Amino acid sequence: MNTDLVHSFRITKYATLGPNGARTSPPSEWTAFSDVGRLVTLADYLQVESAYLQAIETACTASGATALRVKALDGNRARGFTEGQCLELTQALEMARQVLREACWCKLVAERMEVHFGYDYYMYVVAADDILMELESAAPSLFVERYPSPYLQPMDEADIAL
């Protein structure tokens, strides 16, 4: 396990605080790409998706990551990507777009940071550095909070070596 990844952040589009103080979606809120056309317009969806991608790009820049590796790939609709593939930033953002659009699921990992995708448009960035301020300024329409990623699992160095 990379023990240097000590800062964990949850990023979400939800402004509502639940009874336990955590950000949550109200029942009428869209929570998936499949809600486009039903609960959200495509234009509004794309605006939110763009904010998530900007947060990933900012996390990479702040952490010094120029490439990310696909880890724990799940789903047969991951067009053009394979488990363990090393992706330049533009490719990694396209992979993230596919995850956000429910085509597949994976983690994107580098030596000093990782991106994990949760259900219902929760995203987690785990980093060696405290990049909270950078994440908050990257996409002001999103909410960033310190929160442990439920997807952080021990990995050996071969898993993240680029």
Side-chain angles (χ1 to χ4, degrees), residues 56-70:
I56 295 169
E57 186 171 5
T58 297
C60 289
T61 300
S63 299
T66 58
L68 297 165
R69 185 170 303 285
V70 176

Side-chain angles (χ1 to χ4, degrees), residues 91-112:
Q91 294 173 300
L93 293 175
E94 181 53 37
M95 177 82 246
R97 185 183 318 275
Q98 288 190 33
V99 173
L100 291 170
R101 293 183 182 185
E102 305 170 293
C104 59
W105 186 89
C106 73
K107 296 178 188 180
L108 296 171
V109 302
E111 185 176 343
R112 298 186 52 79

Side-chain angles (χ1 to χ4, degrees), residues 1-11 55-56 59-60 63 65 67-69 71-72 105-117 123-129 131 135 149-156 159-161:
M1 175 177 178
N2 186 344
T3 57
D4 293 336
L5 301 179
V6 296
H7 301 280
S8 186
F9 309 96
R10 182 168 67 176
I11 301 168
I56 295 169
C60 289
S63 299
L68 297 165
R69 185 170 303 285
K71 180 72 180 164
W105 186 89
C106 73
K107 296 178 188 180
L108 296 171
V109 302
E111 185 176 343
R112 298 186 52 79
M113 59 91 58
E114 298 181 6
V115 179
H116 306 160
F117 300 91
M123 184 172 75
Y124 304 86
V125 171
V126 184
D129 302 306
I131 59 171
L135 289 171
S149 172
Y151 303 98
L152 188 60
Q153 297 174 358
M155 294 190 298
D156 60 39
D159 291 333
I160 59 173

Side-chain angles (χ1 to χ4, degrees), residues 27-93:
S28 61
E29 179 75 24
W30 67 270
T31 59
F33 182 70
S34 57
D35 290 333
V36 171
R38 193 170 51 87
L39 297 175
V40 63
T41 67
L42 179 59
D44 287 344
Y45 169 83
L46 291 173
Q47 185 176 15
V48 171
E49 179 184 83
S50 179
Y52 277 80
L53 297 176
Q54 181 61 51
I56 295 169
E57 186 171 5
T58 297
C60 289
T61 300
S63 299
T66 58
L68 297 165
R69 185 170 303 285
V70 176
K71 180 72 180 164
L73 180 62
D74 184 27
N76 57 3
R77 295 183 299 157
R79 297 179 307 268
F81 298 102
T82 58
E83 173 70 21
Q85 183 177 2
C86 182
L87 307 173
E88 296 298 322
L89 185 54
T90 55
Q91 294 173 300
L93 293 175

